[in-house]
Amino acid sequence: MAVTFDDVAAAHERIRAVARRTPVLTSATIDALTGARVHFKCENFQRMGAFKFRGAYNALAQLSAEQKEKGVVAFSSGNHAQAVALSGKLLGVPAVIVMPTDAPKVKLAATRGYGAEVILYDAHNEDRQKIAEQLAAERGLTLIPPFDHPHIAAGQGTAAKELIEDAGPFDLLLVPCGGGGLLSGCAVAARQLSPQCRVIGVEPAAGDDGARSFRSKQLETIGTPDTIADGARTASLGPNVTFPLILKHVDGFLTVTDEELLQSMFFLWERMKIVVEPTGALAACALLTKKLDAKGMKVGVVISGGNVDLAWAAARLGAR
Ligand SMILES: *Cc1c(COP(=O)(O)O)cnc(C)c1O
Protein backbone atom coordinates (compact mmCIF):
# COMPACT_ATOMS: atom_id res chain seq x y z
CA MET A 1 0.00 0.00 0.00
CA ALA A 2 1.78 3.08 -1.24
CA VAL A 3 1.50 6.46 0.44
CA THR A 4 1.93 9.48 -1.84
CA PHE A 5 2.57 13.14 -1.15
CA ASP A 6 -1.09 13.81 -1.92
CA ASP A 7 -2.00 11.51 0.98
CA VAL A 8 0.27 13.49 3.30
CA ALA A 9 -1.21 16.78 2.07
CA ALA A 10 -4.77 15.45 2.57
CA ALA A 11 -3.83 14.27 6.08
CA HIS A 12 -2.50 17.74 6.81
CA GLU A 13 -5.85 19.32 5.90
CA ARG A 14 -7.64 16.76 8.10
CA ILE A 15 -5.54 17.43 11.20
CA ARG A 16 -4.84 21.14 10.70
CA ALA A 17 -7.57 22.43 13.03
CA VAL A 18 -6.72 20.06 15.89
CA ALA A 19 -2.99 19.30 15.76
CA ARG A 20 -0.46 21.84 16.93
CA ARG A 21 1.88 23.29 14.30
CA THR A 22 4.89 22.64 16.52
CA PRO A 23 7.81 25.08 16.66
CA VAL A 24 11.06 24.73 14.73
CA LEU A 25 13.98 25.61 17.04
CA THR A 26 17.62 26.42 16.32
CA SER A 27 20.67 26.54 18.58
CA ALA A 28 23.84 28.55 17.98
CA THR A 29 25.69 26.12 20.28
CA ILE A 30 24.67 23.10 18.19
CA ASP A 31 25.44 24.89 14.92
CA ALA A 32 28.93 25.68 16.24
CA LEU A 33 29.42 22.12 17.46
CA THR A 34 28.39 20.47 14.17
CA GLY A 35 29.38 23.12 11.62
CA ALA A 36 25.87 22.76 10.21
CA ARG A 37 22.72 24.89 10.23
CA VAL A 38 20.34 22.72 12.24
CA HIS A 39 16.56 23.05 12.53
CA PHE A 40 14.74 20.97 15.13
CA LYS A 41 11.07 20.07 14.56
CA CYS A 42 9.83 19.86 18.14
CA GLU A 43 7.07 17.25 18.31
CA ASN A 44 7.64 17.03 22.07
CA PHE A 45 5.29 20.05 22.02
CA GLN A 46 2.60 18.18 20.04
CA ARG A 47 -0.69 17.36 21.77
CA MET A 48 -0.22 14.37 24.12
CA GLY A 49 3.52 14.96 23.84
CA ALA A 50 4.46 13.20 20.59
CA PHE A 51 3.91 13.18 16.81
CA LYS A 52 1.70 10.05 17.11
CA PHE A 53 -1.38 12.26 17.46
CA ARG A 54 -0.98 13.16 13.76
CA GLY A 55 -1.33 9.62 12.44
CA ALA A 56 -3.95 8.46 14.93
CA TYR A 57 -6.24 11.40 14.25
CA ASN A 58 -5.79 11.02 10.49
CA ALA A 59 -6.76 7.33 10.75
CA LEU A 60 -9.76 7.78 13.05
CA ALA A 61 -11.11 10.72 11.02
CA GLN A 62 -11.37 8.46 7.95
CA LEU A 63 -13.42 5.67 9.53
CA SER A 64 -16.97 5.15 8.30
CA ALA A 65 -19.90 6.40 10.39
CA GLU A 66 -20.59 2.84 11.49
CA GLN A 67 -16.96 2.19 12.47
CA LYS A 68 -16.87 5.45 14.42
CA GLU A 69 -19.99 4.50 16.32
CA LYS A 70 -18.72 1.04 17.26
CA GLY A 71 -15.29 2.31 18.28
CA VAL A 72 -11.61 1.45 17.97
CA VAL A 73 -9.07 -0.69 19.77
CA ALA A 74 -5.29 -0.29 20.02
CA PHE A 75 -2.59 -2.09 21.93
CA SER A 76 0.30 0.00 23.19
CA SER A 77 2.04 0.88 26.43
CA GLY A 78 3.22 4.17 25.06
CA ASN A 79 2.43 7.17 22.93
CA HIS A 80 0.19 5.42 20.40
CA ALA A 81 -2.24 4.58 23.22
CA GLN A 82 -2.56 8.19 24.25
CA ALA A 83 -2.78 9.34 20.63
CA VAL A 84 -5.69 6.98 19.86
CA ALA A 85 -7.40 7.86 23.15
CA LEU A 86 -7.18 11.62 22.54
CA SER A 87 -8.22 11.31 18.87
CA GLY A 88 -11.21 9.19 19.94
CA LYS A 89 -12.23 11.79 22.48
CA LEU A 90 -12.02 14.64 19.93
CA LEU A 91 -13.93 12.71 17.26
CA GLY A 92 -16.48 11.13 19.60
CA VAL A 93 -15.18 7.62 18.84
CA PRO A 94 -15.09 5.19 21.81
CA ALA A 95 -11.55 3.87 22.30
CA VAL A 96 -10.38 0.70 24.03
CA ILE A 97 -6.67 0.50 24.82
CA VAL A 98 -4.98 -2.79 25.76
CA MET A 99 -2.08 -1.99 28.12
CA PRO A 100 0.25 -4.11 30.27
CA THR A 101 -0.44 -4.21 34.02
CA ASP A 102 3.08 -2.85 34.62
CA ALA A 103 2.69 0.18 32.33
CA PRO A 104 3.84 3.45 33.96
CA LYS A 105 1.07 4.86 36.17
CA VAL A 106 1.27 8.26 34.47
CA LYS A 107 0.57 6.65 31.08
CA LEU A 108 -2.38 4.64 32.42
CA ALA A 109 -3.78 7.78 34.03
CA ALA A 110 -3.27 9.89 30.88
CA THR A 111 -4.97 7.28 28.68
CA ARG A 112 -7.95 7.01 31.06
CA GLY A 113 -7.96 10.79 31.38
CA TYR A 114 -8.71 11.05 27.65
CA GLY A 115 -11.79 8.92 28.28
CA ALA A 116 -10.50 5.63 26.88
CA GLU A 117 -11.41 2.26 28.37
CA VAL A 118 -8.18 0.59 29.48
CA ILE A 119 -8.00 -3.21 29.46
CA LEU A 120 -5.01 -4.54 31.37
CA TYR A 121 -3.13 -7.70 30.48
CA ASP A 122 -0.21 -9.58 31.97
CA ALA A 123 2.73 -8.88 29.66
CA HIS A 124 4.54 -12.04 30.80
CA ASN A 125 1.73 -14.52 30.16
CA GLU A 126 -0.73 -13.01 27.72
CA ASP A 127 -0.56 -11.95 24.05
CA ARG A 128 -1.82 -8.39 23.64
CA GLN A 129 -2.45 -8.72 19.94
CA LYS A 130 -4.71 -11.72 20.56
CA ILE A 131 -6.61 -9.82 23.25
CA ALA A 132 -7.08 -6.84 20.94
CA GLU A 133 -8.18 -9.03 18.03
CA GLN A 134 -10.65 -10.85 20.27
CA LEU A 135 -12.09 -7.52 21.47
CA ALA A 136 -12.33 -6.32 17.89
CA ALA A 137 -14.26 -9.44 16.90
CA GLU A 138 -16.57 -9.47 19.94
CA ARG A 139 -17.46 -5.78 19.94
CA GLY A 140 -17.03 -4.90 16.26
CA LEU A 141 -14.14 -2.55 17.05
CA THR A 142 -11.67 -1.37 14.38
CA LEU A 143 -8.04 -2.17 15.20
CA ILE A 144 -5.76 0.88 14.81
CA PRO A 145 -2.16 -0.30 14.25
CA PRO A 146 0.72 1.87 15.51
CA PHE A 147 2.64 2.24 12.22
CA ASP A 148 1.95 -0.23 9.41
CA HIS A 149 -1.11 1.51 7.98
CA PRO A 150 -1.26 4.06 5.12
CA HIS A 151 -3.35 6.58 7.10
CA ILE A 152 -0.95 6.40 10.05
CA ALA A 153 2.18 6.89 7.90
CA ALA A 154 0.56 9.73 5.91
CA GLY A 155 -0.40 11.50 9.14
CA GLN A 156 3.11 11.21 10.60
CA GLY A 157 4.54 12.66 7.35
CA THR A 158 2.84 15.97 8.09
CA ALA A 159 5.59 16.66 10.65
CA ALA A 160 8.21 16.84 7.88
CA LYS A 161 5.82 18.72 5.59
CA GLU A 162 5.52 21.48 8.21
CA LEU A 163 9.26 21.47 8.93
CA ILE A 164 10.18 21.92 5.26
CA GLU A 165 7.46 24.53 4.71
CA ASP A 166 8.71 26.50 7.72
CA ALA A 167 12.50 26.15 7.39
CA GLY A 168 13.45 24.05 4.36
CA PRO A 169 14.57 22.85 1.91
CA PHE A 170 17.30 20.76 3.55
CA ASP A 171 20.44 18.87 2.56
CA LEU A 172 19.80 16.26 5.22
CA LEU A 173 16.81 15.13 7.29
CA LEU A 174 17.29 12.91 10.37
CA VAL A 175 14.27 11.02 11.73
CA PRO A 176 13.84 8.57 14.66
CA CYS A 177 12.74 5.10 13.59
CA GLY A 178 10.83 2.36 15.41
CA GLY A 179 8.29 0.66 13.18
CA GLY A 180 8.94 3.28 10.52
CA GLY A 181 5.64 5.17 10.34
CA LEU A 182 7.28 8.51 11.11
CA LEU A 183 10.33 7.85 8.90
CA SER A 184 8.37 6.63 5.87
CA GLY A 185 5.81 9.45 6.03
CA CYS A 186 8.52 12.09 6.45
CA ALA A 187 10.51 10.60 3.54
CA VAL A 188 7.46 10.83 1.27
CA ALA A 189 7.02 14.50 2.22
CA ALA A 190 10.73 15.29 1.77
CA ARG A 191 10.92 13.66 -1.70
CA GLN A 192 8.27 16.08 -2.91
CA LEU A 193 9.17 19.29 -1.05
CA SER A 194 12.97 18.98 -0.89
CA PRO A 195 14.00 16.51 -3.61
CA GLN A 196 17.76 16.90 -3.05
CA CYS A 197 17.46 16.11 0.66
CA ARG A 198 19.03 12.88 2.00
CA VAL A 199 16.66 11.22 4.47
CA ILE A 200 18.25 9.11 7.22
CA GLY A 201 16.51 6.96 9.85
CA VAL A 202 18.04 6.67 13.32
CA GLU A 203 17.57 3.61 15.54
CA PRO A 204 18.85 2.43 18.90
CA ALA A 205 21.90 0.17 18.38
CA ALA A 206 20.15 -2.65 20.27
CA GLY A 207 17.19 -2.46 17.85
CA ASP A 208 18.86 -2.04 14.46
CA ASP A 209 16.39 -4.22 12.54
CA GLY A 210 15.54 -1.32 10.24
CA ALA A 211 19.17 -0.71 9.31
CA ARG A 212 19.64 -4.43 8.69
CA SER A 213 16.48 -4.70 6.62
CA PHE A 214 17.51 -1.66 4.61
CA ARG A 215 20.90 -3.23 3.82
CA SER A 216 19.64 -6.73 3.01
CA LYS A 217 16.44 -5.52 1.27
CA GLN A 218 14.63 -8.24 3.24
CA LEU A 219 12.44 -7.59 6.24
CA GLU A 220 14.47 -8.62 9.30
CA THR A 221 12.80 -9.35 12.62
CA ILE A 222 14.53 -9.29 16.00
CA GLY A 223 13.55 -10.10 19.60
CA THR A 224 12.16 -7.16 21.60
CA PRO A 225 15.18 -4.82 21.80
CA ASP A 226 16.61 -3.95 25.22
CA THR A 227 16.94 -0.16 25.00
CA ILE A 228 15.84 2.94 26.90
CA ALA A 229 14.26 4.15 23.63
CA ASP A 230 10.90 2.55 24.47
CA GLY A 231 9.17 4.02 21.41
CA ALA A 232 11.57 2.07 19.20
CA ARG A 233 11.28 -1.35 20.89
CA THR A 234 9.74 -2.77 17.72
CA ALA A 235 10.62 -6.19 16.34
CA SER A 236 10.55 -5.10 12.69
CA LEU A 237 9.47 -2.46 10.21
CA GLY A 238 5.95 -2.87 8.82
CA PRO A 239 5.77 -5.45 6.03
CA ASN A 240 2.84 -3.83 4.20
CA VAL A 241 3.39 -0.09 4.30
CA THR A 242 6.51 1.21 6.05
CA PHE A 243 9.22 -1.18 4.80
CA PRO A 244 8.34 -0.76 1.09
CA LEU A 245 8.18 3.04 1.50
CA ILE A 246 11.52 3.10 3.32
CA LEU A 247 13.21 1.03 0.59
CA LYS A 248 11.87 3.46 -1.99
CA HIS A 249 12.43 6.84 -0.34
CA VAL A 250 15.02 6.57 2.46
CA ASP A 251 18.76 7.01 1.85
CA GLY A 252 20.27 5.29 4.88
CA PHE A 253 20.26 4.41 8.57
CA LEU A 254 22.37 5.27 11.62
CA THR A 255 22.35 3.79 15.12
CA VAL A 256 23.17 5.21 18.54
CA THR A 257 23.80 3.50 21.89
CA ASP A 258 21.74 4.02 25.04
CA GLU A 259 24.66 5.78 26.70
CA GLU A 260 24.92 8.23 23.79
CA LEU A 261 21.17 8.72 23.92
CA LEU A 262 21.23 9.61 27.62
CA GLN A 263 24.03 12.13 27.05
CA SER A 264 22.13 13.74 24.18
CA MET A 265 18.89 13.90 26.19
CA PHE A 266 20.66 15.82 28.94
CA PHE A 267 22.42 18.01 26.38
CA LEU A 268 19.07 18.96 24.82
CA TRP A 269 17.58 19.66 28.25
CA GLU A 270 20.50 21.82 29.34
CA ARG A 271 21.30 23.66 26.13
CA MET A 272 17.93 23.94 24.42
CA LYS A 273 15.75 23.85 27.56
CA ILE A 274 13.47 21.23 26.06
CA VAL A 275 12.30 17.99 27.68
CA VAL A 276 12.84 15.11 25.24
CA GLU A 277 12.20 11.40 25.84
CA PRO A 278 14.90 8.85 24.89
CA THR A 279 13.23 7.82 21.62
CA GLY A 280 12.58 11.47 20.84
CA ALA A 281 16.31 12.20 21.02
CA LEU A 282 17.46 9.49 18.56
CA ALA A 283 17.90 11.73 15.50
CA ALA A 284 19.44 14.61 17.44
CA CYS A 285 21.83 12.12 19.07
CA ALA A 286 23.13 10.87 15.71
CA LEU A 287 24.01 14.44 14.80
CA LEU A 288 25.46 15.42 18.20
CA THR A 289 27.67 12.33 18.37
CA LYS A 290 28.81 12.95 14.77
CA LYS A 291 27.68 9.64 13.29
CA LEU A 292 27.93 11.52 10.03
CA ASP A 293 29.70 14.67 8.88
CA ALA A 294 27.11 17.42 8.45
CA LYS A 295 29.61 20.27 8.07
CA GLY A 296 28.28 23.04 5.82
CA MET A 297 24.87 21.37 5.48
CA LYS A 298 21.41 22.59 6.27
CA VAL A 299 19.95 19.86 8.46
CA GLY A 300 16.43 19.07 9.64
CA VAL A 301 16.09 16.97 12.82
CA VAL A 302 12.80 15.55 14.07
CA ILE A 303 12.50 15.51 17.86
CA SER A 304 9.64 13.05 18.08
CA GLY A 305 8.38 13.20 21.66
CA GLY A 306 8.80 14.41 25.22
CA ASN A 307 7.02 11.90 27.45
CA VAL A 308 9.70 10.93 29.91
CA ASP A 309 9.55 10.14 33.61
CA LEU A 310 11.88 12.81 34.99
CA ALA A 311 12.49 10.93 38.25
CA TRP A 312 13.70 7.93 36.23
CA ALA A 313 15.91 10.15 34.06
CA ALA A 314 17.39 11.96 37.05
CA ALA A 315 18.20 8.60 38.65
CA ARG A 316 19.95 7.48 35.44
CA LEU A 317 21.94 10.72 35.49
CA GLY A 318 22.90 10.17 39.11
CA ALA A 319 23.97 6.59 38.39
CA ARG A 320 26.45 7.58 35.69
C1 LIG B 1 6.45 5.74 18.26
C2 LIG B 1 7.58 6.68 18.44
C3 LIG B 1 8.70 6.68 17.59
C4 LIG B 1 8.86 5.69 16.45
O1 LIG B 1 7.86 5.88 15.48
P1 LIG B 1 7.59 4.77 14.36
O2 LIG B 1 6.54 5.36 13.51
O3 LIG B 1 7.14 3.53 15.06
O4 LIG B 1 8.89 4.56 13.67
C5 LIG B 1 9.68 7.63 17.78
N1 LIG B 1 9.60 8.52 18.79
C6 LIG B 1 8.56 8.57 19.64
C7 LIG B 1 8.55 9.57 20.71
C8 LIG B 1 7.51 7.64 19.50
O5 LIG B 1 6.47 7.67 20.35
Side-chain angles (χ1 to χ4, degrees):
M1 273 174 281
V3 173
T4 65
F5 180 73
D6 286 347
D7 297 322
V8 178
H12 206 196
E13 291 311 310
R14 242 173 247 122
I15 69 168
R16 199 182 283 279
V18 289
R20 208 164 277 157
R21 191 172 184 109
T22 52
V24 177
L25 299 186
T26 58
S27 156
T29 307
I30 290 175
D31 284 2
L33 189 81
T34 58
R37 286 159 295 145
V38 188
H39 297 259
F40 294 94
K41 176 65 169 169
C42 293
E43 285 294 296
N44 52 320
F45 293 126
Q46 187 51 263
R47 289 183 82 162
M48 51 67 47
F51 71 92
K52 284 215 172 62
F53 177 65
R54 296 173 181 271
Y57 191 92
N58 186 48
L60 263 63
Q62 292 182 77
L63 297 176
S64 71
E66 194 194 336
Q67 285 174 316
K68 281 183 179 147
E69 198 186 313
K70 287 193 163 150
V72 295
V73 58
F75 50 87
S76 162
S77 51
N79 290 329
H80 181 59
Q82 291 175 65
V84 170
L86 174 59
S87 301
K89 179 181 166 178
L90 294 171
L91 288 161
V93 176
V96 179
I97 312 291
V98 181
M99 298 178 88
T101 43
D102 59 358
K105 290 212 166 41
V106 285
K107 292 203 167 161
L108 285 171
T111 307
R112 288 196 179 109
Y114 293 131
E117 178 188 350
V118 173
I119 295 196
L120 295 172
Y121 75 102
D122 175 359
H124 302 290
N125 298 308
E126 293 180 284
D127 179 347
R128 62 182 190 170
Q129 179 149 0
K130 251 194 211 134
I131 295 172
E133 281 167 1
Q134 202 174 337
L135 278 165
E138 280 168 15
R139 302 203 206 165
L141 307 174
T142 303
L143 186 65
I144 307 293
F147 50 83
D148 203 25
H149 187 290
H151 298 168
I152 299 286
Q156 320 303 33
T158 60
K161 180 172 182 282
E162 289 177 5
L163 171 60
I164 297 166
E165 284 171 356
D166 290 349
F170 293 103
D171 301 310
L172 179 67
L173 178 65
L174 298 168
V175 185
C177 180
L182 180 64
L183 175 60
S184 61
C186 286
V188 168
R191 276 293 154 267
Q192 176 78 24
L193 298 175
S194 183
Q196 305 305 317
C197 179
R198 282 175 65 220
V199 180
I200 307 284
V202 184
E203 289 182 313
D208 66 342
D209 56 285
R212 288 200 229 168
S213 302
F214 184 79
R215 273 198 302 269
S216 69
K217 312 254 179 283
Q218 312 244 339
L219 189 64
E220 310 227 0
T221 300
I222 59 176
T224 305
D226 181 13
T227 168
I228 59 169
D230 54 337
R233 281 186 202 138
T234 41
S236 76
L237 300 171
N240 301 315
V241 177
T242 67
F243 183 45
L245 284 173
I246 284 168
L247 280 182
K248 194 164 170 203
H249 297 296
V250 170
D251 298 289
F253 274 84
L254 294 169
T255 61
V256 298
T257 66
D258 278 8
E259 179 55 32
E260 290 170 328
L261 212 45
L262 269 177
Q263 277 174 18
S264 296
M265 263 169 66
F266 291 119
F267 186 89
L268 293 172
W269 292 3
E270 288 178 348
R271 299 304 172 96
M272 291 186 70
K273 324 301 173 196
I274 55 174
V275 174
V276 180
E277 64 184 275
T279 322
L282 280 167
C285 181
L287 185 73
L288 293 170
T289 56
K290 308 203 171 167
K291 301 289 169 182
L292 80 180
D293 183 7
K295 216 167 268 148
M297 291 187 193
K298 185 169 167 188
V299 184
V301 174
V302 177
I303 290 186
S304 53
N307 293 326
V308 56
D309 180 340
L310 287 175
W312 168 86
R316 287 299 297 247
L317 178 61
R320 287 163 71 233

